[in-house]
Amino acid sequence: MSPSSAHRHVLGTAALAATAALLLTAVTTGTADAVPGGRDAAVARARANVAQHAALFGYGPGQDLVLKDVVLDPDGTQHVRFDRSYDGLPVVGGDLVVHQDARGRLTDSSRAKGHDPKVPSTRPAVPAQRSAAEALQQAPGTAAATSTPELVVWAADGTARLAWRTTVTGTGKQGQPTGRVVVTDATTGAAIDSYDAEHSATGTGHSEYTGDVTLSTTQQANGSYALIDPVRGHTTKDAHNLSASSVKATSGTLYTDADNVWGDGRKFSTDRATAAVDAHANTAWTYDYYKNTFGRNGIKNDGKGATVFVHVGTNWDNAQWSDACFCMMTGDGNGSTDPEQVDLDTMGHEMTHGVTSATANLRYSGESGGLNESTSDIFGTMVEWYADNAVDKGDYLFSDQSTPPWLRRFDKPSLDGGSADCWSKSVGRLDVHYSSGVGNHWFYLASEGSGAKTVNGVAYNSPTCNGSTVTGIGNQKVAAIWYRALTVYMTSTTDYKGARAASLSAARDLYGANSAEYAAVGAAWSAVSVA
């Protein structure tokens, strides 16, 4: 994972118009085959019943019925739902349900308030352009918004009149795509109603790395679902293999789906939504970790969510955070041994580069660069522990899912063949992904202590550089100390000696200068030769 304002993973209607509630007797939905004549016969009888009982349904000249749904009970009872139009215009609030017995005889009806829409179909006095302008003014929280006016018969409140129903789309307060429907009287221009065009929903994702997961999605005005998290504000898009250097915030295509079930759960999947499932869910877990652990509202602590791109590049075995587009980019792996770079700790790692940039902004070279990388490794690992996922359990092996058996490890970083276990004067000359080993080793020792230990089924054996024995205080306490050190005491040029001082100050603030926590932080630094 690397810099340049970008950090890379380096591998070595909704319901339109509120209407009166339609209260139907609870029934068990059957199939069309359960009723003689089936669905088509039920619809035909329902249309005939409406025409024969026109006064009951407020049905008259100029109106038409638009089929919406059919429910056929096992006993043959039929419930046929229609929307209504008037002179070709949708009647908002004119919907109805025809209840029939098994032979298609009318037994009851359910009607919304606008069931008798006698409105002259005259040319509106207020032009659509004015309606659109007023709608934009009535849709606060949108930026660079566009609008689409539609002439309708508004009857949701029982008073039928011509109205402009204008859908305004733009950017919400969290930076996510958003939409709002604004209704204005077509004759006077007076405001009638306004409501969100999109609705939060809960989808199911079949992920590559974490099993079946719940996704926070948005139901759009057309009824489809999109990978827009309405709670955290992030959006997940397909980059269509655009190179990382070419990706902008406006690049790619938003993921949408008809049934809100995403992915196939396979590694090296040909279903492009599978990588998006991991990316969307793991970004949510990262957001929640920072929010629920430290009270941090998003990467910049401003409540705004990032844009997440999957399928970046061709065989790009990498992941990257970019401040320029406020976005995260993930590649598809190397095409043979490493699959998509969207596992939990990798996603947490990349978002943490954004957190570091927004706080201490550790310069991405020398020892401060190693601390930058180590910070992302630490909090990426903590996101994995926070998620408490049965498939991808918490461990001290960084990127073990997407880069098996692991990319970096904490108990003895040098096992990757390049990382430093201990500080020396030459550490600052290493690549930042290797100089980060000192910080990772410190974090492990402070959390779990020295020597051999098995955690969540993984065997570790962490040595010390000074031959000491270190007793750990648990990774949650160490992470809290590191977060305070990063956000309160570190600066852009902090080195390892400065990190020791910053973390001791943080431990003093949180637990006291005479606490076991303060002593453990100091002992772990000494154990990696940072005095």
Side-chain angles (χ1 to χ4, degrees):
M1 312 182 179
S2 94
S4 82
S5 92
H7 304 277
R8 295 174 302 162
H9 174 168
V10 176
L11 298 174
T13 205
L16 291 174
T19 66
L22 302 180
L23 302 178
L24 300 178
T25 303
V27 295
T28 302
T29 302
T31 65
D33 294 337
V35 180
R39 185 177 187 274
D40 290 345
V43 173
R45 285 299 307 148
R47 290 186 183 277
N49 279 324
V50 172
Q52 292 167 12
H53 302 274
L56 173 66
F57 289 99
Y59 189 72
Q63 295 187 40
D64 198 4
L65 299 175
V66 181
L67 180 65
K68 187 172 184 181
D69 193 24
V70 180
V71 175
L72 304 176
D73 296 343
D75 66 359
T77 302
Q78 307 165 10
H79 313 273
V80 183
R81 183 182 297 274
F82 294 105
D83 282 336
R84 189 192 312 250
S85 67
Y86 184 87
D87 279 1
L89 301 176
V91 178
V92 181
D95 48 301
L96 57 98
V97 182
V98 182
H99 306 288
Q100 307 167 157
D101 65 15
R103 297 177 61 184
R105 293 175 299 192
L106 182 68
T107 59
D108 201 356
S109 66
S110 298
R111 295 159 294 153
K113 288 183 178 180
H115 66 273
D116 193 11
K118 294 182 175 64
V119 175
S121 184
T122 57
R123 186 74 179 171
V126 179
Q129 291 85 350
R130 174 179 161 186
S131 171
E134 291 169 344
L136 290 169
Q137 293 175 0
Q138 295 176 43
T142 60
T146 58
S147 62
T148 306
E150 177 189 17
L151 188 63
V152 300
V153 175
W154 180 267
D157 53 9
T159 302
R161 59 221 192 258
L162 289 170
W164 288 107
R165 182 173 63 192
T166 305
T167 301
V168 181
T169 58
T171 304
K173 63 181 180 180
Q174 292 182 310
Q176 79 277 21
T178 188
R180 190 158 182 83
V181 177
V182 178
V183 184
T184 55
D185 190 298
T187 302
T188 67
I192 297 176
D193 198 5
S194 66
Y195 49 90
D196 288 337
E198 298 168 332
H199 306 267
S200 61
T202 300
T204 298
H206 302 302
S207 80
E208 186 170 355
Y209 295 115
T210 51
D212 289 349
V213 294
T214 297
L215 300 176
S216 184
T217 62
T218 295
Q219 186 175 24
Q220 303 184 110
N222 64 4
S224 68
Y225 298 89
L227 288 186
I228 302 171
D229 190 318
V231 177
R232 304 163 187 88
H234 64 269
T235 298
T236 303
K237 301 170 75 175
D238 188 338
H240 298 294
N241 303 103
L242 192 66
S243 67
S245 61
S246 301
V247 171
K248 300 179 176 60
T250 56
S251 299
T253 303
L254 175 67
Y255 276 95
T256 59
D257 184 79
D259 61 5
N260 214 11
V261 178
W262 310 76
D264 62 13
R266 300 176 182 176
K267 291 189 177 181
F268 299 102
S269 174
T270 57
D271 183 344
R272 295 181 74 85
T274 301
V277 168
D278 287 275
H280 199 70
N282 296 345
T283 300
W285 263 317
T286 302
Y287 189 104
D288 288 351
Y289 169 72
Y290 278 107
K291 171 72 172 178
N292 297 331
T293 307
F294 306 120
R296 187 176 189 86
N297 291 303
I299 290 174
K300 288 189 176 180
N301 204 23
D302 59 1
K304 291 184 178 180
T307 302
V308 183
F309 291 97
V310 295
H311 303 301
V312 175
T314 301
N315 291 338
W316 191 51
D317 199 10
N318 216 327
Q320 176 174 305
W321 169 261
S322 172
D323 288 332
C325 65
F326 199 66
C327 67
M328 188 156 42
M329 294 172 267
T330 65
D332 290 336
N334 62 14
S336 57
T337 58
D338 295 351
E340 287 84 5
Q341 302 295 309
V342 286
D343 48 328
L344 262 170
D345 48 8
T346 298
M347 299 294 289
H349 176 111
E350 297 308 334
M351 286 185 72
T352 297
H353 276 308
V355 172
T356 298
S357 177
T359 56
N361 195 27
L362 289 160
R363 193 169 64 90
Y364 208 72
S365 65
E367 291 189 21
S368 59
L371 285 166
N372 191 317
E373 271 298 310
S374 179
T375 296
S376 281
D377 282 354
I378 288 169
F379 287 120
T381 291
M382 289 307 298
V383 167
E384 190 177 73
W385 282 87
Y386 172 84
D388 193 26
N389 180 263
V391 178
D392 187 7
K393 296 180 180 180
D395 55 42
Y396 297 97
L397 309 175
F398 176 69
S399 194
D400 54 307
Q401 295 289 315
S402 62
T403 317
W406 38 263
L407 178 62
R408 292 186 286 276
R409 61 185 295 154
F410 288 48
D411 60 325
K412 190 175 182 181
S414 60
L415 289 175
D416 66 10
S419 291
D421 292 333
C422 312
W423 182 88
S424 68
K425 291 182 179 180
S426 63
V427 159
R429 295 195 292 272
L430 296 176
D431 179 280
V432 295
H433 300 89
Y434 295 145
S435 60
S436 62
V438 178
N440 290 353
H441 193 195
W442 166 82
F443 179 78
Y444 178 88
L445 288 170
S447 298
E448 300 292 346
S450 56
K453 189 173 187 178
T454 298
V455 183
N456 276 353
V458 179
Y460 303 96
N461 193 353
S462 190
T464 58
C465 306
N466 61 356
S468 65
T469 298
V470 177
T471 300
I473 57 174
N475 58 28
Q476 291 189 34
K477 287 184 176 180
V478 182
I481 289 167
W482 195 246
Y483 181 80
R484 182 164 177 82
L486 176 74
T487 58
V488 174
Y489 292 109
M490 291 187 193
T491 64
S492 60
T493 59
T494 295
D495 56 13
Y496 274 112
K497 183 176 181 178
R500 176 188 172 109
S503 57
L504 284 171
S505 294
R508 178 199 62 210
D509 295 346
L510 295 175
Y511 302 105
N514 296 318
S515 65
E517 290 81 3
Y518 184 93
V521 167
W525 279 122
S526 296
V528 296
S529 300
V530 177

